[in-house]
Amino acid sequence: MYHRVTPEPHPAFLKYCVTPKAFANQMRFLSAAKYTPIDFNDFLSLRDGRGKLPEKPIVITFDDGFQDIADNAVPILSERGFKAAIYFVTALAGKQSSWILPSRGVEFPLMDWGTIKDLEKHGIQCGAHSSTHPKLTEISLSDCRSELLNSRLELENRLGREIRHLAYPFGLFNRDVRDIAEDTGYYTACSTQIGISSFKEDLLSLRRVPINGQDSLFDFIFKLKTAHTIGEYGRSKARGAKRLLKRIIGTSKAT
């Protein structure tokens, strides 16, 4: 999961910015390590037993539809023949990422419809990210339905084909939001819950691996296997060992 790919990361949005150089190195590693980028239509087909599963399948996703993804990431992907999925905030196409302004004090340009339409010839799968990027768990169910349905219909009207795939804004969803996503015609939906999704998971509650601006190439490689940097993984194991030790000590005292 990526957000921005830019040579000039903004300090207020640093976590969500990967430089073009870092992104190119990450894609170079995927190629050298024989990973095969697939899209979510491939994911559905492979899950249903249609087609042969690549040895190392991976889905590369971008949330929000920032203009710098078209400028900096898509050429790198296209050069390697890599597929990817980009999720768009449809009511704000060609405008600014206004939902970021209250929390970060900044906003960034989003792709316009001409740019979005041009992406498919580069192997990009276009998906929905709602109409205006609200927190779906904090609005009414009817407004949630409108956000998800209108986003899908707008993409279908503009691109002239069925839109099947969704990423929840802010990664936020609950059972009601998940069911509305299904009712409004989505086949898959991605969250921001951290983890490596399998073909057995709920298709409307898929986990992802966030790739952040501070990640080194070694962090990226480690995340491909664990979903976490080596530091995060080590701290998690240490916490687990500490909890286990407390249980053992508690049991010992009780006996």
Side-chain angles (χ1 to χ4, degrees):
M1 175 179 60
Y2 294 90
H3 289 81
R4 298 189 67 204
V5 176
T6 173
E8 299 178 349
H10 194 286
F13 207 61
L14 199 60
K15 176 182 177 181
Y16 303 101
C17 299
V18 173
T19 66
K21 181 179 179 180
F23 184 73
N25 287 337
Q26 292 164 3
M27 297 304 103
R28 186 178 298 113
F29 176 82
L30 292 180
S31 181
K34 307 300 183 184
Y35 281 86
T36 302
I38 62 174
D39 63 25
F40 281 101
N41 286 339
D42 297 329
F43 184 93
L44 291 174
S45 294
L46 293 167
R47 182 178 182 271
D48 294 340
R50 291 176 281 125
K52 185 179 179 181
L53 180 67
E55 183 178 352
K56 295 180 178 179
I58 190 169
V59 184
I60 302 167
T61 68
F62 301 86
D63 284 5
D64 304 324
F66 292 110
Q67 178 60 41
D68 53 64
I69 297 303
D71 295 338
N72 302 312
V74 171
I76 293 169
L77 293 167
S78 184
E79 181 181 1
R80 295 193 175 276
F82 281 2
K83 294 181 178 182
I86 304 178
Y87 298 101
F88 297 96
V89 184
T90 50
L92 299 179
K95 300 177 183 178
Q96 300 282 318
S97 57
S98 56
W99 69 90
I100 299 174
L101 197 57
S103 61
R104 304 276 175 170
V106 292
E107 54 187 356
F108 307 104
L110 301 170
M111 292 182 224
D112 61 22
W113 285 110
T115 303
I116 295 170
K117 289 178 181 179
D118 190 54
L119 291 174
E120 290 188 323
K121 69 182 182 183
H122 296 286
I124 302 299
Q125 183 175 72
C126 298
H129 201 39
S130 79
S131 289
T132 65
H133 207 290
K135 294 180 178 179
L136 296 175
T137 56
E138 297 180 8
I139 61 177
S140 69
L141 296 183
S142 61
D143 285 346
C144 176
R145 181 175 296 274
S146 294
E147 283 281 342
L148 297 186
L149 180 60
N150 291 342
S151 184
R152 182 176 67 78
L153 294 178
E154 178 75 359
L155 279 164
E156 290 185 345
N157 290 336
R158 296 279 188 169
L159 302 180
R161 62 169 185 78
E162 183 184 21
I163 296 298
R164 295 176 159 198
H165 310 292
L166 167 72
Y168 298 113
F170 299 103
L172 296 175
F173 75 104
N174 53 27
R175 187 69 198 185
D176 286 335
V177 172
R178 180 247 178 249
D179 289 346
I180 289 171
E182 184 173 35
D183 290 344
T184 52
Y186 293 100
Y187 291 64
T188 73
C190 288
S191 71
T192 57
Q193 293 179 349
I194 297 175
I196 298 173
S197 288
S198 73
F199 288 111
K200 296 180 181 179
E201 294 188 32
D202 177 15
L203 291 175
L204 293 160
S205 309
L206 295 173
R207 296 174 292 163
R208 288 186 288 176
V209 180
I211 306 302
N212 299 324
Q214 68 269 33
D215 291 343
S216 67
L217 183 58
F218 187 75
D219 287 328
F220 174 80
I221 294 168
F222 203 77
K223 280 185 171 185
L224 291 173
K225 295 295 186 181
T226 69
H228 299 280
T229 66
I230 189 168
E232 293 167 345
Y233 187 76
R235 288 190 292 273
S236 175
K237 289 295 184 182
R239 288 193 295 268
K242 187 175 180 180
R243 288 193 295 268
L244 177 60
L245 183 59
K246 285 183 177 179
R247 287 199 297 270
I248 292 171
I249 293 171
T251 302
S252 176
K253 287 181 178 179
T255 57

